Amino acid sequence: MATAIPLSFTSSLQKFKEICAIHSFQRSDRHERIMEGLNITDEMLNANSVTRQLTDQISLAKAFVVIAKESNNLQFAWELSAQIRNSQSLLSNAATRRTPLTTRASETAVRDMALLLYQAQQLHYDSATMIMRLKAKIQALEEQMSAVNEKSSKYGQIAAEEVPKSLYCLGVRLTTEWFGNINLQRNFERKQMEVKLIDNSLYHFCVFSDNILATSVVVNSTALNSKNPDMVVFHLVTDEINYAAMKAWYALNSFRGVTVEVQKFEDFTWLNASYVPVLKQLQDAETQSYYFSGSSGDGRTPIKFRNPKYLSMLNHLRFYIPEVFPALKKVVFLDDDVVVQKDLSGLFSIDLNGNVNGAVETCMETFHRYHKYLNYSHPLIREHFDPDACGWAFGMNVFDLVEWRKRNVTGIYHYWQEMNIDRTLWKLGTLPPGLLTFYGLTEPLSPAWHVLGLGYTNVDPQLIEKGAVLHFNGNSKPWLKIGMEKYKPLWEKYVDYNHPLLQQCNFH
């Protein structure tokens, strides 16, 4: 079998084979003949090719070192490593001097390395053996990597779900302040201008969240970058636990004249199991086990698919916006992990061309097409949706509520939720049902309106600079220790760390 040795010295090694086949002298005598027969040619030692020859020899020798170690031939592995270091030293010195490697300087190194490579062939370190052993090594490393990735995913998910002590402290202090200060409650009521809350000539934004500081950044960044903050109305919906704290925060702080409404979803009487499929599913024992006990039946479902947050009503309220705000005609929906750095009033004049949802598409790469999110082995999905249809992003969406009501979009959402009770259409999150619900009802927006990825990947600095809304989607939220350090300043610039409550709760 031919050895995997670079062509530059193949002729020399072939000479070795011929000599060994013809002569059967003792080892010392054979060594002398090998050295005699090596015959480094002028072509091989040409100043223009010596560096290439050494580099080729080093690459092959490194592969043989791995095989020698796997074969427990540590002495030979050591000899190869020593010769690799010697050849690398020659190349390094030549590069430092910026002069070509000379024949005299390299002849010994090329000869010695060629001899070792020939010996490797005699030990059956040939191409087939090397490939077989390297494949086995790669497989073992892949198994180790898979185990490490699974642990990393679990620990990362736990870290992302953990509520920092500082946020918990802020909620407790604000709740105490709210119930202990009647003037604070009156101040918040004075700020609630009911006429503005239903005035469709204003710019209405909605955020559904239980994170006080995150929503504050959304409101503050919008206000500071708005040309007419007095025309901006924020509708915040939270849960019972954070309701008092959320109201206290917006009673204590002003945001350039922005109007802020705070509601809790427990007050929505229409939000019940007879109307909402997600609430109905929560009553199912199997669903409870799947999401809350960590039992996934086959044991192979990734932990992120079993995150209870995906059944949180704050997460699913985006599909009930017309019911939450019955008097409004158009709203901009924002996730609580975004930062606004441009004036957003232009969103309200965009023509959605009869569509319900205005969103930035994310199908520049194959990863973000429908087939990535949905199970196309299921006939319901396969028959109704193009697998190559372009995906889009939640987090900054313009919703035409008039068209929404006319087309009964919430009813469409209910249908797909009920079809997915066994989780065979999709597994994770609100985006897959969103893709189904708004299929054919989504108007693409300019990518500059919504820049994603700041919570899990590297983003082009030019996109960040031009982006109107920056989205920290992913586990690395900017308020967590695992947040991406290079992007945290974009979020932290809208946090007043000198605020007394933030200092008392050790925000920094």
Side-chain angles (χ1 to χ4, degrees), residues 440-505:
L441 299 175
T442 299
E443 179 71 15
L445 302 182
S446 166
W449 282 114
H450 188 189
V451 176
L452 296 106
L454 281 75
Y456 73 95
T457 190
N458 293 316
V459 182
D460 186 340
Q462 292 186 345
L463 292 179
I464 292 176
E465 183 179 353
K466 296 177 181 178
V469 176
L470 306 181
H471 198 166
F472 290 81
N473 56 311
N475 282 341
S476 301
K477 303 302 184 189
W479 56 84
L480 298 175
K481 289 183 178 180
I482 62 172
M484 299 180 72
E485 292 296 330
K486 63 180 178 180
Y487 297 139
K488 278 188 177 182
L490 296 168
W491 186 84
E492 291 178 332
K493 66 190 288 187
Y494 297 105
V495 179
D496 180 11
Y497 287 107
N498 293 320
H499 193 289
L501 283 173
L502 299 190
Q503 289 192 337
Q504 290 170 25
C505 291

Side-chain angles (χ1 to χ4, degrees), residues 83-118:
Q83 190 55 47
I84 288 171
R85 290 193 294 271
N86 182 42
S87 297
Q88 288 175 329
S89 178
L90 282 174
L91 293 173
S92 177
N93 291 336
T96 302
R97 295 192 306 269
R98 296 187 178 182
T99 58
L101 200 57
T102 65
T103 299
R104 183 182 300 276
S106 62
E107 181 178 2
T108 301
V110 171
R111 180 187 295 113
D112 291 348
M113 183 67 88
L115 179 59
L116 286 173
L117 295 175
Y118 175 75

Side-chain angles (χ1 to χ4, degrees), residues 75-87:
Q75 175 62 31
F76 187 58
W78 180 86
E79 292 176 6
L80 279 170
S81 297
Q83 190 55 47
I84 288 171
R85 290 193 294 271
N86 182 42
S87 297

